[in-house]
Amino acid sequence: MSDEIISPAGVDEDYSEILQIRRDKLLKLQNEGRDPYAVTKFERTVYSAEIKEAFETFENKDVRLAGRLMSKRDMGKAFFSDIADDKGRIQLYVKVDDLGEEAFSEFKNGDIGDIIGVEGFVFRTRRGEISVHCRKTELLSKSLLPLPEKFHGLTDTETRYRQRYVDLIMNPGVRRSFEIRSAFIRHVRAFLDERGYTEVETPVLNTISGGATARPFITRHNALDIDLYMRIATELHLKRLIVGGMERVYEIGRIFRNEGMDTRHNPEFTTVELYEAYADYNDMMDIAEQMLSSAAMKILGTYKCEWMGETIDLTPGWPRLTMTQAVVNAGGPDFSVIESDEEAVIAAEAAGVVLKDTEPTWGCALYECFERLAENKLVQPAFITMHPTDVSPLAKRSRFDPRLTERFELFIGRSEMANAFSELNDPADQKQRFQKQAQLRERGDEEASMQDDDFITALEYGMPPTGGMGIGIDRAVMLLTGASSIRDIILFPTMKPKTE
């Protein structure tokens, strides 16, 4: 008994020969009028996993399976092979006495990677393995490229991302991450639908860039002869709907930001943004905690996740700290007793935080102290509230300190998971903050928001007190799957073109 082993493409001549042999096989079939690409349909009656899960039901019953040929073990007058379908893998037993010489020879001449359909009955081998005894096989599609060498699989990280289709074929565990991603998105939809939210869709192309501080992608609309910006957030359109009387709305959609790439950032990513009239940021904290903790329990069966070398406990009851408290807990200055911008800058620099702003304010000093001193210590879930107004152009000011806003960021595993506000609904205040952002753009800050005059007009019609929140779908899936890179949970991550 021998296994067919495809050598890796390390030797060009050997690899070229393998490619030619496969193409010659295809040409022969086509010349004989048996073109596998001409097959349009195969009537499958069952999946591999269904047979394994209910063997007693299927034993000795006829079945029809289809999938990719993953192995062939030659026993002379018979073959043991593995076939992979959408639900798993199962062993096939193919014998010359059942197929006949011609069909058996055709099966024997097939290659690992071919897509085949089989018909036969279910049985268990003497070694106890559930299998299908084939009476008929059919080539449904020819694999012209060899799969990676089976004992080592596809391990090169860059190749896995560039050729996700091969990654999914060779690394069955990869599929689980994307099943969890799909399950999480279904959970988010069900969670919000049950609470009376309406799912909506807003434009991806906008005439201005707004709703967040980020550098946009710019494209050109030829017919209108204008520049358009790919959205960096869905916020401003969703809040227009709140003005229009749709009191609970959400959108799950792609966001595009022309920024750097690392293990936690991709130029296009997915968020869920939700807005609820007559609610505030405290309500958003409740929703975030309930949504994420219930997702873990529903999808994983536990509140605990292993991520970034830490055991994360999502059991409800997450702490809520002001940003000032978080800085103090990290050994930084107490900004609640600091009043002037000058004192704030001195306190930050005394704590070893050199401010990057050309004209630093009290708010900038607090925010940078948080980023440098406290953020990296937030392993377990924690809501960080009361962010400076200077870095929160769309959040409502605190009634107790106008330098702060009713805003929170949720941190888990040292990563931001959610961002939420008691939404600013004062059109005069919003216009003033837009103008400040415009000044930053004039100074060369490409990430500053543009002034949205139509949004100001919408606010002037009156927007009720509103709580709003954005949650990064990709970051949440990283948590649930234990992925260390965002590219592991995006099917086709952005990659620099490969040069020959």
Side-chain angles (χ1 to χ4, degrees):
M1 182 175 70
S2 64
D3 284 2
E4 177 178 335
I5 299 175
I6 300 299
S7 300
V11 181
D12 290 342
E13 291 184 4
D14 291 346
Y15 189 66
S16 297
E17 184 179 353
I18 291 170
L19 300 185
Q20 189 58 55
I21 290 172
R22 292 195 175 209
R23 280 157 176 75
D24 289 344
K25 290 179 181 179
L26 173 62
L27 182 60
K28 182 175 183 294
L29 289 170
Q30 291 172 330
N31 290 337
E32 294 172 351
R34 297 185 293 154
D35 185 354
Y37 300 139
V39 179
T40 59
K41 187 175 181 178
F42 182 85
E43 292 285 352
R44 173 167 45 193
T45 62
V46 70
Y47 288 93
S48 59
E50 294 171 340
I51 294 174
K52 290 185 173 182
E53 290 168 1
F55 171 71
E56 292 76 11
T57 301
F58 287 101
E59 187 175 14
N60 295 321
K61 299 286 182 63
D62 288 340
V63 294
R64 289 171 61 85
L65 289 163
R68 188 179 298 275
L69 191 63
M70 298 300 295
S71 72
K72 291 168 60 180
R73 298 178 291 282
D74 190 351
M75 303 177 66
K77 295 291 185 178
F79 274 92
F80 276 110
S81 302
D82 284 345
I83 187 176
D85 61 20
D86 188 53
K87 308 297 183 185
R89 289 172 66 146
I90 195 167
Q91 180 172 268
L92 307 178
Y93 178 59
V94 182
K95 191 177 179 183
V96 65
D97 293 344
D98 297 304
L99 267 64
E101 291 286 351
E102 183 177 347
F104 183 78
S105 177
E106 181 178 327
F107 179 84
K108 185 175 182 178
N109 201 39
D111 293 304
I112 303 301
D114 286 351
I115 307 296
I116 64 171
V118 303
E119 183 179 320
F121 64 90
V122 177
F123 77 109
R124 192 189 293 273
T125 67
R126 284 179 292 180
R127 293 185 178 183
E129 185 166 355
I130 296 172
S131 307
V132 175
H133 189 133
C134 299
R135 293 195 180 100
K136 182 179 180 182
T137 65
E138 181 180 2
L139 180 62
L140 305 177
S141 182
K142 185 65 186 167
S143 175
L144 298 178
L145 294 175
L147 298 176
E149 194 272 321
K150 69 178 183 178
F151 292 112
H152 299 97
L154 182 63
T155 57
D156 179 72
T157 302
E158 182 173 327
T159 302
R160 287 181 52 230
Y161 298 149
R162 290 185 185 279
Q163 296 183 303
R164 183 67 82 186
Y165 42 91
V166 183
D167 188 26
L168 290 167
I169 293 170
M170 298 306 300
N171 300 319
V174 169
R175 184 189 183 101
R176 174 61 177 160
S177 295
F178 296 104
E179 290 173 342
I180 289 176
R181 182 187 182 99
S182 180
F184 178 67
I185 292 174
R186 287 197 305 272
H187 173 78
V188 170
R189 280 197 168 95
F191 182 93
L192 294 173
D193 290 346
E194 288 170 2
R195 286 159 178 78
Y197 282 78
T198 299
E199 183 174 9
V200 297
E201 294 177 306
T202 62
V204 171
L205 297 175
N206 296 285
T207 54
I208 64 171
S209 175
T213 54
R215 183 181 293 110
F217 287 97
I218 305 174
T219 187
R220 187 76 182 171
H221 192 291
N222 294 331
L224 295 178
D225 193 28
I226 58 172
D227 285 337
L228 291 174
Y229 300 85
M230 298 183 74
R231 67 184 181 193
I232 58 173
T234 55
E235 178 168 349
L236 299 184
H237 280 98
L238 291 175
K239 287 197 284 193
R240 284 174 168 90
L241 299 180
I242 295 290
V243 172
M246 299 180 70
E247 295 185 355
R248 296 187 182 193
V249 294
Y250 75 94
E251 180 171 11
I252 298 174
R254 273 291 211 252
I255 302 298
F256 307 87
R257 297 185 180 178
N258 195 357
E259 300 170 337
M261 297 167 58
D262 56 33
T263 57
R264 300 184 188 187
H265 296 88
N266 194 66
E268 56 176 309
F269 57 97
T270 306
T271 66
V272 55
E273 283 203 39
L274 56 117
Y275 293 85
E276 180 176 341
Y278 310 106
D280 67 4
Y281 79 134
N282 290 296
D283 298 294
M284 295 299 109
M285 280 188 263
D286 294 338
I287 288 175
E289 182 175 307
Q290 293 166 14
M291 179 189 291
L292 293 176
S293 63
S294 62
M297 181 56 69
K298 182 176 182 179
I299 297 170
L300 305 179
T302 175
Y303 286 128
K304 294 186 177 180
C305 310
E306 298 296 327
W307 190 39
M308 301 294 187
E310 305 279 359
T311 299
I312 308 296
D313 189 350
L314 299 177
T315 302
W318 302 347
R320 304 178 179 189
L321 306 172
T322 67
M323 184 171 285
T324 297
Q325 289 172 329
V327 170
V328 171
N329 290 349
D334 185 353
F335 281 83
S336 66
V337 298
I338 298 173
E339 295 186 358
S340 70
D341 294 341
E342 293 77 10
E343 290 175 325
V345 172
I346 293 171
E349 292 179 346
V353 177
V354 178
L355 303 181
K356 57 189 176 184
D357 301 84
T358 55
E359 297 180 13
T361 62
W362 179 92
C364 293
L366 169 58
Y367 192 74
E368 290 196 37
C369 280
F370 170 74
E371 282 193 323
R372 310 278 184 86
L373 303 176
E375 188 172 315
N376 200 44
K377 294 180 170 61
L378 299 173
V379 176
Q380 299 304 326
F383 294 104
I384 305 301
T385 69
M386 307 303 269
H387 291 225
T389 304
D390 292 337
V391 295
S392 309
L394 296 164
K396 183 171 286 191
R397 294 179 190 269
S398 167
R399 288 164 288 177
F400 309 105
D401 188 341
R403 298 175 300 179
L404 298 172
T405 60
E406 290 194 353
R407 172 187 177 186
F408 76 76
E409 287 180 331
L410 168 62
F411 284 87
I412 304 176
R414 306 182 183 90
S415 298
E416 179 194 336
M417 286 286 171
N419 188 19
F421 314 144
S422 293
E423 300 296 333
L424 178 60
N425 61 348
D426 180 343
D429 192 358
Q430 182 65 83
K431 185 172 183 178
Q432 183 180 17
R433 294 200 221 176
F434 275 154
Q435 290 171 345
K436 186 171 183 179
Q437 290 289 303
Q439 292 172 0
L440 292 175
R441 290 189 71 84
E442 289 176 1
R443 296 174 192 167
D445 186 350
E446 297 178 34
E447 296 187 2
S449 295
M450 295 180 178
Q451 180 162 326
D452 189 335
D453 292 332
D454 180 74
F455 180 66
I456 298 297
T457 299
L459 291 183
E460 289 175 337
Y461 277 99
M463 185 176 85
T466 298
M469 176 168 59
I471 296 178
I473 295 290
D474 308 282
R475 198 75 59 84
V477 174
M478 287 177 67
L479 168 66
L480 295 174
T481 60
S484 59
S485 172
I486 192 172
R487 295 184 176 189
D488 288 329
I489 51 83
I490 294 178
L491 279 168
F492 301 103
T494 304
M495 302 286 289
K496 186 175 181 179
K498 189 174 182 180
T499 57
E500 295 298 331

